[in-house]
Amino acid sequence: MGPASRMILVAEAATPEETRVASEYFASLKPRRWIRVVETGTAPVTRPAGWMLVDESAGATEPIGERVIEISEDFEQSELRNPTSGFVAYVPRGSLKSGEMLVRTVGHGRIMACVMCHGQNLKGQYMKGMGDVPPIAGRSPSQMARQLIDFRSGARQGKNSAQMRGLASKLSNKDIVAITGYLASLNP
Ligand code: HEC
């Protein structure tokens, strides 16, 4: 069972009161930087293990291509769920600049700039008629890419996701790599 299905089971089992208390707790936490982004032509050789990529390269690298390679800074600490041991994301060279352009440039025609809804600092905001637009700055690029791909394929749908569906359908995989690399490089 994938992470999303597990999460749905947990969420469905929670009472409204439990959901409220959990929301208050999460809202009280101060976001802090978790991802270190590195632009590069090559990345460590990795393999999937559980729900993560694991670096088993012993120093060996391979061309990064059109991928974001996100691995823990210290695998053992991540396995122990140490809340102070973060992740590193290798992204193709040039991602940060083209990601910034796609995210911020208003009126370049192809897509609506993300800052129009997610806010200038991309930390989310409340918008009349749309509700809460979530924060996307400083978050896991793999997680953000998964959401964009799910909007694009229609796997993620809900009453608030209509806006995102139209937008994501115009994004190529290369755009998603650049966008999520840039977003991960920002302060949450
Ligand atoms: C017209 C307003 C609008 C624009 C423009 C927009 N978004 Fe969104 N975005 C939303 C809303 C509303 C949601 C919440 C959708 C939901 O609840 O399912 C969302 C959700 C997301 C999510 C999922 C976040 C999460 O916590 O799961 C990502 C990732 C995202 N947007 C990225 C982007 C990117 C990248 C762009 C620019 C290419 C963009 N958005 C432009 C309104 C917008």
Side-chain angles (χ1 to χ4, degrees):
M1 191 194 295
S5 323
R6 279 174 196 251
M7 198 49 234
I8 289 167
L9 285 183
V10 172
E12 282 177 351
T15 65
E17 177 60 9
E18 285 164 347
T19 306
R20 188 186 62 73
V21 172
S23 308
E24 277 173 14
Y25 169 71
F26 289 123
S28 76
L29 300 176
K30 212 170 149 17
R32 62 164 185 249
R33 225 180 161 85
W34 182 247
I35 319 273
R36 179 169 64 91
V37 176
V38 178
E39 280 195 325
T40 178
T42 57
V45 177
T46 49
R47 70 168 177 90
W51 297 329
M52 290 190 249
L53 283 181
V54 180
D55 177 356
E56 283 192 333
S57 64
T61 59
E62 60 186 6
I64 189 157
E66 270 177 25
R67 299 181 298 164
V68 173
I69 301 294
E70 185 178 352
I71 51 180
S72 44
E73 296 275 15
D74 181 331
F75 182 62
E76 216 170 286
Q77 290 305 312
S78 293
E79 286 262 277
L80 293 168
R81 302 294 183 262
N82 178 343
T84 63
S85 185
F87 280 68
V88 53
Y90 296 95
V91 302
R93 285 206 184 92
S95 295
L96 298 189
K97 197 156 174 270
S98 49
E100 180 173 25
M101 201 275 287
L102 285 162
V103 167
R104 292 197 176 276
T105 314
V106 177
H108 64 72
R110 194 156 66 85
I111 54 162
M112 197 171 160
C114 320
V115 289
M116 305 263 295
C117 297
H118 289 275
Q120 274 306 318
N121 57 15
L122 298 154
K123 294 184 185 179
Q125 61 181 343
Y126 176 79
M127 282 180 84
K128 234 180 149 177
M130 208 179 308
D132 284 324
V133 185
I136 52 175
R139 295 182 57 192
S140 155
S142 318
Q143 163 73 0
M144 292 294 94
R146 170 51 52 208
Q147 301 315 308
L148 291 171
I149 291 165
D150 283 355
F151 284 128
R152 193 172 65 181
S153 75
R156 176 166 171 177
Q157 42 183 300
K159 75 175 168 48
N160 292 337
S161 59
Q163 306 276 2
M164 281 308 301
R165 260 203 307 282
L167 258 157
S169 66
K170 295 187 191 142
L171 298 175
S172 65
N173 289 344
K174 193 174 177 187
D175 293 336
I176 292 179
V177 164
I179 287 174
T180 57
Y182 170 68
L183 291 174
S185 75
L186 303 174
N187 280 324

